[in-house]
Each structure stands twice: as C-alpha cells, then as structure tokens.
C-alpha cells in the first residue's frame, strides 16, 4: 500500500491490518505508552474545504506519532492561484514525507499520487472519504466484536460517504443495503463493484434497507460544494431519514453512526442522534486512531 486514495484500492487484508494497528495505537494512547513511529517526519495537510475532525485528528495524530503536521490552506498556497497539482506534488515531495489532501475532484488526489513520490492520503473528495470509513469500520468492529453476519444499512445521498461505506462494508464481509433516491445513486464505479456481491442491495425504500440492520448510517443531504442545491435536495430527500420508524425495523441492538457534521431533523432526528451519541462520538474519536494507523503504514 503506497497511498490511501479510495476504498476501492484496498484489499480486505490491508483494511484488517489498518484496523488492528488502529486498535493497538488506541490502546497505547489510553495507557500512556509512547508510540513515536514518525519521529522526524512531516505531513502536509492541504484543505480546499472546511474541516473540524479531519484537520484536528490528523494534526494531533501526527504530533502523537512524533512527527510534524503542516496545515496548508489551499487558498494560501499557489495551488489556489492555479499552480498545477502536478508541480505542487513534485515540489512538496522534496520537503515533506506525506500529504493529506481534502478537495473536490478525485482526479486531483490521483494526480498528486502519480506525480509526487511521497504517500498521498485522501482526506475527502466528492467521490470518496476513506479515512472516515476506516474509522467507521473500526467502530463497528469495536462495538460488535466482528463483521461476521452483520448487515450495514445506509440511507440518504449516494455521495462520498455512501461510495466509501458500500465498498468498505462489502470488502470486510458485511451485507450492505443502501437506500437513495433514484437520481442520487452512488457513483457508477461503486455500483459496478457492488453489483458483483449477492449481499448488496440498492433500493429507493429506506424501510427495505433498514430491515434487520445491525448498523445504520447516514450523511448530510447536501455535501460541501453543493450548498446551492440545498433547497432542491431538501425536497428530493424527504423520507430518507433515520428516525424511530426506521429504527423499529432494524435489530433492537443496532448501532447508529454518522460521520458528522449532522443536520438534525433532516437525515437524522435529534432523538435518534442523542440515543446513539455513544457510538457516534466514539466513531469521531476513532478518526484519530485509524488515521494514525494509516500514517504509520504509509510513512513509517
Ligand atoms: N467527518 C469529517 O470528515 O468531518 P470534518 O469535515 O469536520 O473533517
Ligand atoms: N458528504 C459530506 C461529508 C462530510 C464529512 C461532505 O462531503 O460534505
């Protein structure tokens, strides 16, 4: 594994290795055991979009690993004035040991990987959010013990989270059901991958997806960059909400997770959100541990 660009690139073994290391790093942190695997290394973090969790967890995680994180706002880099990503990649490769990038177009991340010669980590694109989904899988395994026999349900927009959860869930052996409006299906390459699995369901009906689910996930109806479509999307997504009626169809011990930020009373009711705050905020914490594992694997 040279980069973390999207879930489609990872094998089941690579995912399991990352999750095992993440569990170990979480244990070490909680028990005050130092783990300076990246002493003397630096990570550039390029942000073209807002972030709370990704920024703070990468920055703190790099510090805990003994390395140095550099926050690079795209608007202050020459990339924000049009310097090609291919040149940025070749320059940064000569100064630092890895790049985390959050941007719009997946191609920009793939180009960084192609032109640079240091590990590239996708910190969210319109297509994919692999760091989040590794943390999500870590959380599911932590609460449920294993992925065996579990059904994952995703309700909402066929966006970066849906794309990554479907692929990640199927790769680790869960059955996956996703409910999205027909006009907001996951990306074609994700659908092509998923259709190869008998245990994958795509439907317009959130109730079908939620039936007997062990874990239910959702995400905002309008992602970063889609603010102008918010009104239209609010109409299109009516009914695509995790609420008590949906929870009544899932298993009684089902987990509810959300990558955050959440829009209460849109994709999830405040009631369900607060009843499942325990797993939702453990999931947020696990960003730190999962990403530290990714950095150690790629840059250690
Ligand atoms: N879930 C997530 O990526 O959060 P941020 O946008 O705050 O980084
Ligand atoms: N789908 C959301 C995820 C935020 C973490 C977005 O792209 O804005």
């Amino acid at each position: 594994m040279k980069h973390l660009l999207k879930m489609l690139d990872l094998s089941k073994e690579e995912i399991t290795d990352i999750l095992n290391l993440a569990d170990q790093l979480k244990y070490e942190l909680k028990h005050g055991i130092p783990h300076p695997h990246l002493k003397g290394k630096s990570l550039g973090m390029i942000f073209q979009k807002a972030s709370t969790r990704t920024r703070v967890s990468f920055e703190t995680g790099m510090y805990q690993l003994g390395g140095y994180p550099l926050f690079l706002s795209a608007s202050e880099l020459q990339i924000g004035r049009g310097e090609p990503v291919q040149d940025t990649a070749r320059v940064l490769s000569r100064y630092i040991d890895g790049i985390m990038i959050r941007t719009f177009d997946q191609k920009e991340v793939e180009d960084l990987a192609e032109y640079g010669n240091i590990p590239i980590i996708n910190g969210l694109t319109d297509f994919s959010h692999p760091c989040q989904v590794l943390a999500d899988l870590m959380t599911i395994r932590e609460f449920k013990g294993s992925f065996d026999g579990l059904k994952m349900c995703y309700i909402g927009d066929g966006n970066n989270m849906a794309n990554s959860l479907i692929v990640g869930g199927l790769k680790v052996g869960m059955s996956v059901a996703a409910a999205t409006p027909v006009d907001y299906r996951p990306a074609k390459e994700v659908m092509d991958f998923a259709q190869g699995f008998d245990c994958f369901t795509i439907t317009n009906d959130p109730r079908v997806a939620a039936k007997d689910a062990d874990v239910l996930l959702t995400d905002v109806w309008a992602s970063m960059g889609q603010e102008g479509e918010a009104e239209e999307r609010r109409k299109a997504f009516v009914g695509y909400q995790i609420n008590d009626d949906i929870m009544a169809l899932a298993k009684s011990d089902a987990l509810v997770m959300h990558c955050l930020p959440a829009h209460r009373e849109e994709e999830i009711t405040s009631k369900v959100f607060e009843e499942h705050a325990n797993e939702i905020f453990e999931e947020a914490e696990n960003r730190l541990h999962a990403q530290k594992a990714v950095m150690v694997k790629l840059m250690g």
Side-chain angles (χ1 to χ4, degrees):
M1 180 177 152
K2 281 167 67 184
H3 306 283
L4 176 63
L5 306 181
K6 53 185 181 296
M7 291 307 291
L8 281 166
D9 296 340
L10 296 182
S11 66
K12 179 179 182 173
E13 290 66 36
E14 286 170 327
I15 296 172
T16 306
D17 280 353
I18 293 167
L19 301 188
N20 291 346
L21 179 57
D23 285 348
Q24 185 191 325
L25 292 169
K26 183 171 184 174
Y27 177 89
E28 290 177 358
L29 186 69
K30 304 268 172 193
H31 290 82
I33 303 167
H35 40 266
H37 299 286
L38 299 182
K39 197 167 184 307
K41 302 268 169 93
S42 42
L43 175 80
M45 309 188 302
I46 304 177
F47 284 92
Q48 301 254 23
K49 290 174 174 169
S51 170
T52 297
R53 281 143 288 268
T54 306
R55 176 178 176 182
V56 179
S57 55
F58 265 106
E59 195 159 331
T60 311
M62 193 58 183
Y63 170 75
Q64 291 171 0
L65 290 166
Y68 180 69
L70 293 93
F71 173 73
L72 304 167
S73 164
S75 60
E76 289 160 22
L77 292 175
Q78 296 289 8
I79 212 171
R81 292 180 55 246
E83 183 171 14
V85 73
Q86 294 88 334
D87 297 356
T88 307
R90 283 177 284 189
V91 171
L92 293 182
S93 292
R94 290 168 184 257
Y95 303 142
I96 57 184
D97 305 287
I99 297 174
M100 185 247 86
I101 178 168
R102 165 168 289 197
T103 188
F104 295 87
D105 192 352
Q106 178 72 20
K107 186 168 183 304
E108 204 173 314
V109 177
E110 308 271 346
D111 281 352
L112 269 184
E114 186 182 337
Y115 287 90
N117 56 14
I118 53 175
I120 306 299
I121 300 171
N122 180 348
L124 179 145
T125 60
D126 293 345
F127 174 68
S128 188
H129 199 359
C131 293
Q132 179 69 52
V133 168
L134 289 168
D136 293 0
L137 295 174
M138 177 182 177
T139 310
I140 295 168
R141 201 174 71 161
E142 192 174 315
F143 278 86
K144 293 288 183 188
S146 91
F147 299 115
D148 293 346
L150 296 186
K151 175 179 175 181
M152 173 196 274
C153 157
Y154 176 86
I155 295 176
D157 188 17
N159 60 12
N160 42 16
M161 279 306 300
N163 290 339
S164 309
L165 283 167
I166 291 168
V167 174
L170 290 171
K171 284 201 176 191
V172 299
M174 287 187 278
S175 65
V176 177
T180 78
V182 207
D183 292 338
Y184 297 92
R185 288 284 196 241
K188 185 180 180 303
E189 47 182 312
V190 168
M191 292 298 292
D192 289 347
F193 169 82
Q195 304 287 10
F197 291 77
D198 291 338
C199 56
F200 174 67
T201 308
I202 184 87
T203 170
N204 316 333
D205 187 347
R207 287 162 304 179
V208 170
K211 182 99 184 67
D212 298 325
D214 297 280
V215 49
L216 296 92
L217 300 106
T218 185
D219 187 17
V220 290
W221 291 341
S223 285
M224 289 182 275
Q226 296 170 335
E227 290 78 7
E229 298 170 27
E231 202 41 56
E232 178 189 335
R233 285 172 167 268
R234 226 169 264 133
K235 290 182 194 130
F237 285 98
V238 169
Y240 290 84
Q241 182 188 64
I242 301 189
N243 53 33
D244 282 344
D245 292 344
I246 286 292
M247 292 310 294
L249 297 163
K251 296 235 179 91
S252 58
D253 61 350
L255 304 174
V256 175
M257 293 175 31
H258 194 306
C259 63
L260 304 175
H263 288 185
R264 288 167 175 78
E265 313 313 333
E266 290 194 6
E267 75 274 6
I268 188 166
T269 58
S270 339
K271 180 168 180 285
V272 173
F273 184 95
E274 292 304 335
E275 283 167 359
H276 292 272
N278 189 31
E279 54 260 30
I280 292 172
F281 291 102
E282 199 68 34
E283 173 189 12
E285 177 185 324
N286 285 340
R287 293 292 303 278
L288 172 69
H289 311 299
Q291 288 158 194
K292 282 167 73 181
V294 167
M295 289 191 282
V296 171
K297 290 272 174 210
L298 294 176
M299 297 163 63

